[in-house]
Amino acid sequence: MGGPVTSLQPVSRETILVTGAYGAIGTWLVRELVRRDVPVVGLDLAADPAMPFPELAAVPIVRGDIRDMAL
């Protein structure tokens, strides 16, 4: 059985989808993932990030709603 996760070390090189990427928590998460060289794509309804970190410029952000099945 696996134990608790104690770090954000990636277990694979798959791309991580961060929903709410422009929100208060999402911007910090995206920032940390980029700093750790983890491939990431963001999804958010907002047009502007809550915290405009420079790392967000390196991440593709899709504007939309996760409930939109066509998206």
Side-chain angles (χ1 to χ4, degrees), residues 16-43:
I16 303 298
L17 173 65
V18 176
T19 59
Y22 276 176
I25 296 171
T27 52
W28 285 94
L29 177 59
V30 169
R31 178 183 183 218
E32 189 61 29
L33 290 170
V34 168
R35 286 181 172 191
R36 292 175 185 247
D37 198 32
V38 176
V40 60
V41 172
L43 175 70

